[in-house]
Amino acid sequence: APDYVAAASVGSDFSHPAWKGAQLAAITDKPVAPGETAWMNFAFMAPSVNGNHLGEFTFLANGQDVEGAVLTLPVEVIGGTMAGGSAPRYGGETPVVYIAEEPMLRVGVLIVDEETDWEVRITSSQSAFELRDIDNILISEQAVGDIVTAYYDAGLYFYDTGTGLISTPKALRFIPKTENAVMTVTNFDWRETRGSSLAYNTYRNILELRYNEAKDRTWLINELPMEYYLRGLAETLNSSPMEYQKALLTAARTFAYFHFTHGTKRAEEFMTLVSSSHDQVYKGYGQEELSPNITAAVEATRGQIVTYENEVAITSYFSRSDGSTRNWSDVYWGERAYSIAVPVPCDIGKTMWGHGVGMSASGALCMADEGETWDGILNHFYTGIDILPWWK
């Protein structure tokens, strides 16, 4: 397979423990054809001396320089040593260099079908909001409490802001004027259609009505920052041990980020993930309200990502093992060196529940009950990993 590498000079001021000599990152597991996009994530350390520094990183393909492919990275260091002298760093520690901005996830929360009579009715009790089309053209401005009805039919999006039905060929976006305010889908209620005790019909930030030809269906997509998405996950109970919550949410963050950066899992339907157990169970703001401890665990691990050889890992997890997890290659195509079978003593004698790859939730919960830390749990289930701060 082709070998694509990002490299820097040996002994660089930016050297990071994850580098292999001068190699920052590499793609060796799949071919990249001309015109295709390849993603490489890498870490670097800030130089120790105060002032402005310029790192230069080159790209190689099959061992040869790629003409013109040079990344220059300016970094200003403060709080380090003075040139020719020394000074303490903030708190005596090296400043953290973040690799990426917090991503905006697109989560499919509702297929618009007979459950909602083939339409959505959207409002906000927290913020005024705008209705815009997919090209960001403003259609209308709505006050707090206004309800807009919308649906898709035969190539057109129809909407009614209170003045009658109008159509457009472009998908619709409902955008709160207060960032990350809560939007409500008033005609979607889990108590009525899914036997739940709560409605689970509230979501932070943007809602988008979008039809896709790939599956011939219309989704309501929730677009929101990663850390708010994690607050709305229903993958564990609010009462579970904090170290277990932190381990699980770091795995969930990494799983979501992998699919955000690779953009292939749900791309044909214009989203990153769906809100069901096909990806990760997400119930939006209603779940966040119920789970203050989950929110605390999210904040305690904010931006932390599981990596292997400086690449984002696929941190699969499942409900329960039978005393051992499974190798990636036993269940899926190919291999993942960090996802190999490990013993789970707490699960011995139990029946496997799930695919068996990665972290056993019941095993991780047991380890937390026995006093293991969240990073210790992750290092047990994912072999040879690093946990790095990816964004603020």
Side-chain angles (χ1 to χ4, degrees):
D3 179 18
Y4 296 90
V5 173
S9 60
V10 177
S12 166
D13 288 342
F14 292 82
S15 293
H16 188 278
W19 295 9
K20 293 182 177 180
Q23 180 178 310
L24 283 65
I27 300 174
T28 59
D29 61 343
K30 61 180 180 180
V32 180
E36 288 187 346
T37 299
W39 295 87
M40 283 188 286
N41 298 299
F42 65 89
F44 63 88
M45 300 293 289
S48 59
V49 177
N50 287 341
N52 294 309
H53 302 260
L54 187 67
E56 290 192 353
F57 306 94
T58 59
F59 292 86
L60 294 81
N62 299 329
Q64 303 296 317
D65 287 340
V66 178
E67 184 176 356
V70 178
L71 171 66
T72 57
L73 186 66
V75 173
E76 181 182 4
V77 176
I78 58 175
T81 60
M82 303 295 292
S86 63
R89 293 182 179 274
Y90 299 123
E93 298 180 356
T94 302
V96 175
V97 176
Y98 295 98
I99 296 169
E101 296 291 330
E102 179 183 358
M104 294 288 287
L105 296 188
R106 291 171 55 81
V107 186
V109 295
L110 172 65
I111 297 174
V112 183
D113 56 19
E114 62 272 6
E115 184 177 11
T116 59
D117 198 23
W118 302 95
E119 66 181 20
V120 290
R121 295 197 292 271
I122 294 175
T123 187
S124 177
S125 62
Q126 292 190 354
S127 172
F129 62 99
E130 297 176 338
L131 177 62
R132 291 179 175 266
D133 69 20
I134 199 66
D135 292 333
N136 203 36
I137 302 301
L138 180 64
I139 295 172
S140 68
E141 295 185 275
Q142 307 299 138
V144 173
D146 284 355
I147 297 176
V148 177
T149 301
Y151 63 92
Y152 172 87
D153 183 48
L156 293 174
Y157 295 86
F158 294 84
Y159 60 90
D160 185 351
T161 62
T163 59
L165 200 61
I166 302 172
S167 66
T168 174
K170 297 179 180 179
L172 300 172
R173 288 167 61 81
F174 302 81
I175 306 173
K177 289 191 174 182
T178 301
E179 189 176 23
N180 300 319
V182 176
M183 307 292 289
T184 302
V185 188
T186 64
N187 64 323
F188 176 46
D189 192 326
W190 281 41
R191 293 169 298 186
E192 296 177 3
T193 59
R194 305 190 185 188
S196 173
S197 61
L198 295 172
Y200 292 121
N201 61 354
T202 52
Y203 305 95
R204 284 190 181 272
N205 211 40
I206 297 167
L207 293 174
E208 178 179 305
L209 186 68
R210 189 78 174 266
Y211 169 78
N212 70 83
E213 293 183 350
K215 296 291 180 70
D216 187 25
R217 59 190 183 186
T218 303
W219 278 94
L220 190 65
I221 298 170
N222 184 198
E223 184 177 298
L224 77 169
M226 169 74 83
E227 302 297 327
Y228 278 121
Y229 162 74
L230 295 172
R231 292 183 184 192
L233 288 186
E235 294 283 338
T236 187
L237 299 175
N238 185 62
S239 58
S240 60
M242 178 61 69
E243 293 303 300
Y244 168 69
Q245 292 179 359
K246 290 193 287 187
L248 183 65
L249 289 161
T250 301
R253 179 186 294 110
T254 305
F255 178 87
Y257 189 62
F258 178 88
H259 290 295
F260 172 82
T261 54
H262 288 70
T264 56
K265 188 175 179 68
R266 307 287 177 186
E268 63 182 6
E269 295 198 85
F270 309 110
M271 57 183 128
T272 316
L273 301 168
V274 296
S275 59
S276 71
S277 58
H278 291 293
D279 290 327
Q280 297 181 136
V281 179
Y282 168 72
K283 294 183 179 179
Y285 183 68
Q287 182 68 22
E288 181 183 335
E289 285 187 296
L290 289 175
S291 308
N293 292 340
I294 297 295
T295 293
V298 170
E299 289 302 306
T301 61
R302 184 178 180 86
Q304 299 291 321
I305 292 291
V306 177
T307 67
Y308 179 78
E309 295 187 347
N310 208 41
E311 296 288 337
V312 178
I314 308 178
T315 46
S316 297
Y317 55 94
F318 62 102
S319 295
R320 187 177 64 214
S321 78
D322 54 5
S324 175
T325 65
R326 301 295 188 265
N327 295 314
W328 178 279
S329 58
D330 293 337
V331 178
Y332 302 119
W333 179 85
E335 294 185 355
R336 301 283 173 177
Y338 52 83
S339 194
I340 60 176
V342 297
V344 190
C346 293
D347 285 348
I348 292 174
K350 298 177 181 178
T351 302
M352 176 80 77
W353 190 8
H355 49 67
V357 176
M359 184 170 67
S360 161
S362 67
L365 181 62
C366 177
M367 292 175 70
D369 283 335
E370 292 177 348
E372 185 58 81
T373 61
W374 67 279
D375 51 342
I377 293 170
L378 291 171
N379 275 279
H380 173 76
F381 286 105
Y382 307 108
T383 302
I385 60 164
D386 293 301
I387 304 170
L388 298 176
W390 225 249
W391 56 80
K392 291 183 180 179

